[in-house]
């Protein structure tokens, strides 16, 4: 059964999922209130800023694209200089329309968990053999350090218990080891400090090298629950006021006031969690109503998907990162599952299909997006064939989604994607079937993660989704049907920006705690309920998902056998 608060009917309205935001678009409003916060989100391919009211409404918004250097299969790099320039531009686009700058009471930053290398002057240090100092960031999805991660995992160190038993090549320790081994002169010896990208943003804004507990714990493997802090390192919890606020230089660059409070940063997925997981569920009829927020799972869905579950006590889940203390919500533990490629996988499979250009042209003639048109094709084919649900289009077509390795719960970066059901057909119908099967595969991955979490002590019964993919109704409904759990969307679709703004609200002193701010500034929007009529079908597809995982492991064993 499907419930949609604004648009009636099953899958009544589809929206284009976007991992990049609305590049360059500025929405202008008349500012009536006198208390605002600015949230800044640096995603994989764009920088965004949002002006948020004290009750959590997005008032204004601006975005700029980011350059990515991608070479080989595993190398992804960016420029911290370009990122900071774009940060200042998007904030200034908003602040220029605010007559009284002092009505902005605080600001917060989030960003991808990418590694930034800086020299003693704060300038970039190259992280590649090309020796280009502008390319001083190893991006979060970069997998150059797979061998280094394996080396660390072979140590059996106690810290590995707090990353699900295996360190990912996406974490900073593996990347740091790669730099030391491969670029000792060009990078390692020239670098004064390595920062997580969210920490770099607050450093540029406040001139303070205060480290974020979120970044330290989740990406640098610091044990946040230990009472002894690392020597010479100043760390702060999410939303904690940093230094004296915005420096004079940063304030001028952004068009804000010197001293404007700045909250300690979060990784982008964690900001999304803050922006969605704490909404008041009173009167919703959801399973999580009148229960603690520990019964909820936040899915932050974009280029990748992060699955954020919090608990009062540490939960050790094999293949799932954490437990991390005070990494997202101060005082609570966090487990973080994830899929390394979700929106990126959909784009990859759809855009490389021979029929993609045809769908794209149809969309242009109708003035709609490519994904809106593709969703329309899915519904049309389902009705044409007399199917009870679009899911049945992929009854005999199966996708295993780990094209960029498995982050959770298998924790194997060497896993690959698989497709079963290919033929010589390459028309629009074939593309639609591939598209539906890919959506199902990603939802099966989420089901696998949720089952692993609940088997290890969590009691998750409701999914809260945000991010670009959550704007695609087919993606959301498929997750509800396959997991058997309600999927809740936020009132404000830009929940990651809202999460960043909440950090600023806490830094300003307007709210005493992150939890208080989450409850007051976030709200439930549309709700998608699972359709139990198709449970048997999805259970069978889930068995196929696990069989494909088993088959891939068997193929490896056959080919690696030295006999």
């Amino acid at each position: 059964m499907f419930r949609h608060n604004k648009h009636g009917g099953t899958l009544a309205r589809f929206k284009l999922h976007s991992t990049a935001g609305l590049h360059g678009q500025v929405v202008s409003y008349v500012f009536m209130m006198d208390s605002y916060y600015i949230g800044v989100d640096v995603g994989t391919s764009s920088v965004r800023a949002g002006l948020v009211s004290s009750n959590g409404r997005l008032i204004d918004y601006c975005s700029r694209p980011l350059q990515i250097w991608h070479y080989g299969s595993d190398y992804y790099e960016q420029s911290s200089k370009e990122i900071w320039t774009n940060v200042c531009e998007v904030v200034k686009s908003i602040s220029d329309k605010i007559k009284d700058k002092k009505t902005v009471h605080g600001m917060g930053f989030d960003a991808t968990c990418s590694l930034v290398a800086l020299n003693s002057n704060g300038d970039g240090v190259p992280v590649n053999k090309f020796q280009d100092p502008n390319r001083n960031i190893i991006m979060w999805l970069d997998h150059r350090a797979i061998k280094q991660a394996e080396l660390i995992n072979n140590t059996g160190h106690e810290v590995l218990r707090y990353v699900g038993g295996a360190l990912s090549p996406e974490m900073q320790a593996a990347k740091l080891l790669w730099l030391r081994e491969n670029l000792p002169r060009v990078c390692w010896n020239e670098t004064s400090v390595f920062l997580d990208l969210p920490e770099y943003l607050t450093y540029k804004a406040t001139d303070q090298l205060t480290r974020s507990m979120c970044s330290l714990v989740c990406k640098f493997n610091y044990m946040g629950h230990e009472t002894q802090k690392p020597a010479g390192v100043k760390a702060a919890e999410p939303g904690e006021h940093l230094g004296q606020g915005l420096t004079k230089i940063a304030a001028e660059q952004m068009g804000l006031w010197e001293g404007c409070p700045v909250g300690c940063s979060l990784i982008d997925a964690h900001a999304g969690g803050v922006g969605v997981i704490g909404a008041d569920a009173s009167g919703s009829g959801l399973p999580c109503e009148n229960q603690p927020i520990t019964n909820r799972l936040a899915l932050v869905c974009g280029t990748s998907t992060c699955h954020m579950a919090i608990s009062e006590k540490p939960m050790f889940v094999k293949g799932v990162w954490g437990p991390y203390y005070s990494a997202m919500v101060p005082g609570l533990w966090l487990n973080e599952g994830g899929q390394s490629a979700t929106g990126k996988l959909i784009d990859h499979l759809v855009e490389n299909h021979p029929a993609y250009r045809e769908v794209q042209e149809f969309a242009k003639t109708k003035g709609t997006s490519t994904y809106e048109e593709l969703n329309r094709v899915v519904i049309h084919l389902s009705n044409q064939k007399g199917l009870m649900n679009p899911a049945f289009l992929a009854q005999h077509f199966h996708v295993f989604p780990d094209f960029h390795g498995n982050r959770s719960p298998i924790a194997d970066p060497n896993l690959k994607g698989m497709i079963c059901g290919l033929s010589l057909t390459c028309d629009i119908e074939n593309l639609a079937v591939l598209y539906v099967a890919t959506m199902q595969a990603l939802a099966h991955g989420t089901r696998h993660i949720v089952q692993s979490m609940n088997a290890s002590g969590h009691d998750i019964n409701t999914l809260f989704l945000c991010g670009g993919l959550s704007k695609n109704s087919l993606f959301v409904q498929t997750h509800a049907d396959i997991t058997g759990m309600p999927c809740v969307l936020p009132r404000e679709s830009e929940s990651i920006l809202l999460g960043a703004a909440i950090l600023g609200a806490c830094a300003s002193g307007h709210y005493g705690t992150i939890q208080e701010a989450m409850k007051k500034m976030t709200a439930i929007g549309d709700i998608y309920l699972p359709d139990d009529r198709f449970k048997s079908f999805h259970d069978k597809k889930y068995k196929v998902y696990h069989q494909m995982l088993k088959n891939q492991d068997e193929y490896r064993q056959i080919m690696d056998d030295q006999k």
Side-chain angles (χ1 to χ4, degrees), residues 26-29 31 60-62 92-101:
V26 179
V27 183
S28 180
Y29 291 85
F31 304 145
D60 200 4
Y61 172 90
C62 185
K92 198 169 188 304
S93 292
I94 291 174
S95 66
D96 281 348
K97 290 174 280 184
I98 303 173
K99 185 175 181 181
D100 183 0
K101 311 301 184 187

Side-chain angles (χ1 to χ4, degrees), residues 21-310:
L22 304 175
H23 299 329
Q25 181 170 335
V26 179
V27 183
S28 180
Y29 291 85
V30 177
F31 304 145
M32 304 295 291
M33 301 178 67
D34 60 357
S35 182
Y36 302 101
Y37 308 98
I38 287 180
V40 175
D41 166 50
V42 178
T44 299
S45 55
S46 70
V47 173
R48 307 182 302 153
L51 184 71
V52 177
S53 66
S54 58
N55 64 350
R57 290 288 188 176
L58 183 65
I59 306 299
D60 200 4
Y61 172 90
C62 185
S63 177
R64 295 284 187 275
L66 287 175
Q67 182 175 4
I68 297 173
W69 286 275
H70 176 210
Y71 56 101
S73 60
D74 295 323
Y75 294 76
Y76 294 84
E77 296 164 2
Q78 285 181 319
S79 165
S80 65
K81 183 177 180 180
E82 183 205 12
I83 287 173
W84 182 250
T85 297
N86 284 344
V87 165
C88 294
E89 286 182 0
V90 293
V91 174
K92 198 169 188 304
S93 292
I94 291 174
S95 66
D96 281 348
K97 290 174 280 184
I98 303 173
K99 185 175 181 181
D100 183 0
K101 311 301 184 187
K102 286 293 186 76
T103 58
V104 177
H105 291 184
M107 66 184 308
F109 297 88
D110 75 73
T112 63
C113 48
S114 301
L115 183 67
V116 184
L118 301 175
N119 63 21
S120 57
N121 295 322
D123 297 323
V125 178
V127 293
N128 53 67
K129 62 182 180 181
F130 307 109
Q131 301 188 33
D132 181 357
N134 284 320
R135 295 164 61 173
N136 67 312
I137 295 178
I138 299 180
M139 292 183 66
W140 66 269
L141 73 168
D142 188 290
H143 275 196
R144 71 183 68 183
I146 288 179
K147 291 183 179 179
Q148 286 72 23
E150 291 174 351
L151 180 64
I152 293 171
N153 290 330
N154 289 336
T155 67
H157 195 283
E158 171 67 12
V159 75
L160 296 176
R161 290 187 65 224
Y162 291 86
V163 290
L167 186 86
S168 166
E170 295 174 12
M171 292 182 176
Q172 311 302 21
K175 292 174 180 174
L176 290 170
L177 183 56
W178 186 94
L179 289 171
R180 192 179 74 173
E181 292 179 349
N182 292 274
L183 297 173
R185 183 184 61 83
V186 173
C187 179
W188 187 260
N189 295 339
E190 297 298 319
T191 300
S192 176
V193 62
F194 289 101
L195 297 174
D196 206 28
L197 184 52
E199 299 174 316
Y200 169 78
L201 300 178
T202 54
Y203 159 66
K204 291 291 289 184
T206 66
D207 199 31
Q208 298 288 312
L209 271 177
T210 304
R211 308 304 294 262
S212 164
M213 282 291 290
C214 178
S215 293
L216 280 181
V217 173
C218 297
K219 299 304 166 185
F220 287 95
N221 305 110
Y222 165 62
M223 300 290 96
H225 57 282
E226 293 183 348
T227 56
Q228 185 176 355
K229 305 299 180 185
V233 175
K234 184 179 180 182
E237 292 188 337
E240 188 175 333
H241 192 298
L242 297 180
Q244 302 301 313
L246 279 184
T247 64
K248 182 179 180 179
I249 293 175
E252 290 175 351
Q253 291 172 325
M254 296 182 183
L256 294 173
W257 53 283
E258 182 181 357
C260 178
V262 175
C264 185
S265 62
L266 283 170
I267 297 166
D268 56 350
H270 302 66
V274 166
V276 71
I277 202 170
D280 187 357
S282 300
S284 65
L286 291 166
C288 65
E289 185 179 2
N290 301 320
Q291 293 185 359
I293 59 175
T294 52
N295 292 100
R296 307 174 181 189
L297 181 74
L299 270 71
V300 186
C301 319
T303 304
S304 63
T305 294
C306 294
H307 303 68
M308 322 294 281
I310 52 179

Side-chain angles (χ1 to χ4, degrees), residues 275 279-280 489-492 498 518-519 521-525:
D280 187 357
L489 299 185
R491 177 188 64 189
E492 295 293 332
L498 176 57
M518 288 194 304
K519 191 169 184 179
M521 294 180 70
T522 65
I524 287 175

Side-chain angles (χ1 to χ4, degrees), residues 460-493:
I460 297 162
N461 57 32
T462 310
L463 308 183
F464 284 68
L465 280 70
C466 67
L469 273 176
S470 69
K471 300 172 186 177
N472 187 317
S473 298
L474 179 61
F475 178 85
V476 180
Q477 188 64 52
T478 300
H479 268 70
D481 291 343
I482 286 177
T483 63
M485 295 182 183
C487 288
V488 182
L489 299 185
R491 177 188 64 189
E492 295 293 332
S493 62

Side-chain angles (χ1 to χ4, degrees), residues 252-553:
E252 290 175 351
Q253 291 172 325
M254 296 182 183
L256 294 173
W257 53 283
E258 182 181 357
C260 178
V262 175
C264 185
S265 62
L266 283 170
I267 297 166
D268 56 350
H270 302 66
V274 166
V276 71
I277 202 170
D280 187 357
S282 300
S284 65
L286 291 166
C288 65
E289 185 179 2
N290 301 320
Q291 293 185 359
I293 59 175
T294 52
N295 292 100
R296 307 174 181 189
L297 181 74
L299 270 71
V300 186
C301 319
T303 304
S304 63
T305 294
C306 294
H307 303 68
M308 322 294 281
I310 52 179
S311 58
E312 295 182 354
K313 297 180 179 180
M315 304 282 189
F316 292 88
V317 185
K318 185 178 180 181
V320 172
W321 298 345
Y324 299 138
Y325 185 69
S326 286
M328 186 171 83
V329 180
L332 294 178
W333 293 82
L334 170 71
N335 282 110
E336 181 184 350
Q339 295 163 295
S340 294
T342 50
K344 186 173 181 63
L345 175 62
I346 295 170
D347 290 343
H348 172 73
L349 291 178
V350 169
E351 292 175 7
N352 283 288
H353 192 280
Y356 172 70
R357 300 302 174 199
E358 189 176 353
V359 175
Q360 194 177 43
E361 289 302 317
F362 279 143
K364 285 181 180 179
T365 60
K366 296 179 180 180
T368 61
S369 73
T370 303
Y371 281 97
E372 285 175 318
E373 177 63 21
L374 189 53
N375 285 331
R376 187 199 64 78
V377 171
V378 168
I379 297 299
H380 173 73
L381 286 172
S382 177
N383 292 336
Q384 186 182 61
K385 295 176 180 294
L387 302 178
M388 293 181 64
N389 188 276
F392 290 95
L393 287 170
Q395 181 172 1
H396 297 296
F397 198 104
H398 313 287
V399 173
F400 187 76
D402 293 333
F403 282 58
H404 198 53
N406 182 283
R407 187 187 298 172
S408 303
I410 307 302
D412 184 354
N414 293 308
L415 274 177
K416 305 299 179 185
M418 302 170 69
I419 299 177
C420 176
L422 292 173
S423 69
L424 296 178
T425 304
C426 57
D427 57 11
I428 289 181
E429 179 175 339
N430 179 258
L431 172 57
V433 172
L434 171 64
Y435 177 56
V436 170
T438 304
M439 293 287 194
Q440 293 171 349
L442 294 172
H444 290 141
T446 291
R447 179 174 174 177
H448 197 187
I449 291 169
V450 173
Q451 286 185 343
S452 298
M453 287 181 168
N454 282 346
S456 299
H458 285 282
D459 188 20
I460 297 162
N461 57 32
T462 310
L463 308 183
F464 284 68
L465 280 70
C466 67
L469 273 176
S470 69
K471 300 172 186 177
N472 187 317
S473 298
L474 179 61
F475 178 85
V476 180
Q477 188 64 52
T478 300
H479 268 70
D481 291 343
I482 286 177
T483 63
M485 295 182 183
C487 288
V488 182
L489 299 185
R491 177 188 64 189
E492 295 293 332
S493 62
E494 301 298 339
S495 292
I496 299 176
L497 279 175
L498 176 57
I502 285 174
L503 301 176
C506 289
S508 73
H510 190 100
Y511 295 108
T513 65
I514 289 283
Q515 291 198 54
E516 179 188 0
M518 288 194 304
K519 191 169 184 179
K520 295 290 180 63
M521 294 180 70
T522 65
I524 287 175
D526 297 335
I527 299 172
Y528 292 70
L529 301 178
D531 194 328
D532 294 335
R533 293 176 299 168
F534 312 120
K535 182 179 184 302
S536 175
F537 172 81
H538 289 300
D539 285 346
K540 292 176 182 177
K541 291 276 293 190
Y542 188 53
K543 288 182 181 179
V544 173
Y545 164 88
H546 278 285
Q547 187 64 47
M548 293 177 81
L549 173 60
K550 180 181 178 183
N551 288 346
Q552 184 170 161
D553 184 57

